[in-house]
Amino acid sequence: KAGVTQTPRYLIKTRGQQVTLSCSPISGHRSVSWYQQTPGQGLQFLFEYFSETQRNKGNFPGRFSGRQFSNSRSEMNVSTLELGDSALYLCASSTTTDTQYFGPGTRLTVL
Amino acid sequence: QQQVKQSPQSLIVQKGGISIINCAYENTAFDYFPWYQQFPGKGPALLIAIRPDVSEKKEGRFTISFNKSAKQFSLHIMDSQPGDSATYFCAASSPGGGSQGNLIFGKGTKLSVKP
């Protein structure tokens, strides 16, 4: 089975812009979770989608949003980018169990 | 109460030695404890995981030891190899996840295995 894929792998944006990241889960996985990884804060949970519905949400501002499509692919959007949004954004997919499989991430740099 | 505390922050081990990384938690609702390995430029990869009804789980050179009463768990890497040099994260989750997410991660341990 193919693993979790994320596109694009690298992004450079400027403050105030918005960005959309994409994640394709492992075939058959219906749950997609997003995490932000930074050197200072480590891995922090953003949100989880299951069958097109947001099931859990972390403590991030409303500028961070996401959605899931009927084929389980997911996108996350960050509006009005800030310098502090520079991070590695990771997507993880799972079935209905706890085991999560991570993609390679999208490295976002905000200038 | 939702935190997972991981130590040490960095670890240097000689080839063939044992690497030990420790984690502690407070939330007794946690019922799943995975360890992830991350190489630079890659996403975290699941290494091994344990549930509280088991005190130890071994997979190859990797062993998780779990102490429910102390609310601690640890990863032991036997016969450490230079290829094991990576950052290791412990994590924990509770049924249903919640606002803290499916997985709550420790801050990570950067392991360096010297040849």
Side-chain angles (χ1 to χ4, degrees):
Chain A
K1 272 187 181 180
V4 177
T5 58
Q6 292 187 245
T7 56
R9 292 294 313 280
Y10 303 92
L11 264 179
I12 299 176
K13 293 286 186 179
T14 56
R15 280 186 304 172
Q17 288 186 311
Q18 75 165 20
V19 67
T20 299
L21 313 180
S22 180
C23 171
S24 293
I26 293 171
S27 177
H29 287 195
R30 295 166 63 190
S31 171
V32 173
S33 297
W34 289 88
Y35 293 82
Q36 181 195 64
Q37 185 175 26
T38 60
Q41 298 300 316
L43 282 147
Q44 292 185 288
F45 171 74
L46 282 156
F47 28 67
E48 182 212 1
Y49 286 86
F50 182 84
S51 293
E52 301 179 66
T53 301
Q54 188 180 84
R55 189 156 69 172
N56 289 310
K57 188 179 188 302
N59 296 323
F60 277 80
R63 300 185 296 107
F64 292 82
S65 63
R67 59 177 175 169
Q68 187 180 33
F69 302 94
S70 59
N71 61 358
S72 293
R73 190 177 70 84
S74 177
E75 288 181 347
M76 70 161 281
N77 184 77
V78 187
S79 63
T80 319
L81 284 166
E82 300 177 359
L83 294 178
D85 297 333
S86 294
L88 180 67
Y89 290 88
L90 292 159
C91 165
S93 78
S94 63
T95 58
T96 55
T97 64
D98 301 302
T99 305
Q100 294 192 24
Y101 300 91
F102 284 83
T106 294
R107 172 73 61 185
L108 172 65
T109 302
V110 182
L111 302 176
Chain B
Q1 194 182 15
Q2 291 282 30
Q3 285 184 329
V4 176
K5 295 183 179 180
Q6 183 172 346
S7 63
Q9 195 171 7
S10 62
L11 181 61
I12 299 174
V13 173
Q14 288 296 123
K15 178 182 175 181
I18 302 174
S19 303
I20 302 174
I21 305 171
N22 301 298
C23 284
Y25 64 97
E26 289 295 323
N27 188 352
T28 55
F30 287 151
D31 69 346
Y32 177 70
F33 302 88
W35 284 89
Y36 283 84
Q37 178 191 56
Q38 186 176 29
F39 292 103
K42 306 287 186 182
L46 179 66
L47 205 54
I48 187 173
I50 199 168
R51 294 196 181 273
D53 54 345
V54 176
S55 61
E56 185 174 283
K57 183 175 181 180
K58 184 176 180 179
E59 289 185 3
R61 297 184 294 109
F62 301 93
T63 300
I64 298 180
S65 296
F66 187 84
N67 186 328
K68 188 175 181 178
S69 60
K71 292 185 283 188
Q72 295 176 348
F73 59 110
S74 60
L75 175 69
H76 295 232
I77 306 174
M78 313 299 287
D79 187 27
S80 299
Q81 299 296 313
D84 297 330
S85 297
T87 300
Y88 293 81
F89 294 93
C90 63
S93 69
S94 55
S99 65
Q100 292 298 312
N102 303 75
L103 290 173
I104 298 169
F105 284 89
K107 292 293 188 183
T109 297
K110 188 172 183 179
L111 171 65
S112 181
V113 181
K114 299 298 185 186

